[in-house]
């Protein structure tokens, strides 16, 4: 439970507008956000390796919006063939461009958060 709370603090309470608006366009903004995001995890006294995994993976996931690739891959695997679309029609969020933007964005945020939580848990548990 504490890991979830620290994730929410780092990803939402401590993220400035500048970080949120620029982290997918600018490595400096993404790195700043990843570091600020990771700092609350220090209260758990993680190993250096765990802390670095949390920080570095957060940078790459957010900077390159990697969750959209997970969403797209999941849709390719789980959708019937007639609902499998080319990447160019899904590249914004991983969902087809005809999915309402508000819905595809919130589903992408849920996927992104799930990925972060899984990585954080694994790092804190095994490193």
């Amino acid at each position: 439970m504490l890991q979830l709370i620290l994730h929410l603090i780092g990803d939402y309470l401590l993220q400035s507008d500048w970080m949120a608006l620029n982290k997918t366009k600018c490595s400096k903004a993404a790195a700043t956000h990843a570091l600020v995001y990771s700092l609350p995890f220090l209260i758990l006294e993680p190993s250096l390796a765990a802390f670095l995994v949390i920080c570095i993976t957060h940078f790459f996931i957010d900077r390159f919006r990697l969750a959209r690739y997970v969403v797209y891959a999941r849709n390719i695997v789980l959708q019937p063939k007639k609902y499998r679309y080319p990447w160019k029609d899904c590249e914004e969020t991983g969902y087809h461009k005809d999915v309402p933007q508000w819905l595809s964005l919130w589903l992408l945020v849920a996927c992104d958060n799930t990925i972060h939580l899984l990585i954080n848990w694994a790092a804190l548990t095994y490193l």
Side-chain angles (χ1 to χ4, degrees):
M1 180 63 151
L2 183 54
Q3 177 201 330
L4 174 60
I5 292 168
L6 295 174
H7 166 76
L8 293 171
I9 289 169
D11 225 7
Y12 298 102
L13 295 181
L14 298 179
Q15 183 172 198
S16 70
D17 291 348
W18 172 76
M19 291 178 213
L21 291 170
N22 293 291
K23 65 185 180 182
T24 62
K25 300 179 267 189
C26 167
S27 291
K28 181 180 178 182
T32 302
H33 169 60
L35 180 61
V36 169
Y37 167 84
S38 301
L39 291 176
F41 287 90
L42 291 174
I43 71 166
L44 298 176
E45 298 179 0
S47 67
L48 178 60
F51 182 78
L52 291 175
V53 165
I54 290 168
C55 188
I56 292 168
T57 59
H58 201 90
F59 169 83
F60 283 104
I61 291 166
D62 282 14
R63 173 65 177 89
F64 300 105
R65 292 177 33 223
L66 297 181
R68 64 192 172 134
Y69 297 103
V70 173
V71 167
Y72 184 72
R74 188 222 36 226
N75 287 341
I76 291 297
V77 171
L78 298 178
Q79 297 278 31
K81 278 195 179 214
K82 69 179 184 174
Y83 296 110
R84 294 181 190 169
Y85 302 104
W87 174 248
K88 67 180 173 67
D89 293 339
C90 305
E91 64 187 335
E92 186 68 27
T93 62
Y95 292 94
H96 190 264
K97 60 186 177 185
D98 290 342
V99 173
Q101 187 177 20
W102 67 268
L103 178 60
S104 64
L105 184 58
W106 280 109
L107 291 171
L108 178 64
V109 168
C111 179
D112 176 82
N113 280 284
T114 302
I115 294 167
H116 287 303
L117 290 169
L118 286 170
I119 290 171
N120 295 351
W121 172 81
L124 293 166
T125 302
Y126 297 110
L127 297 178

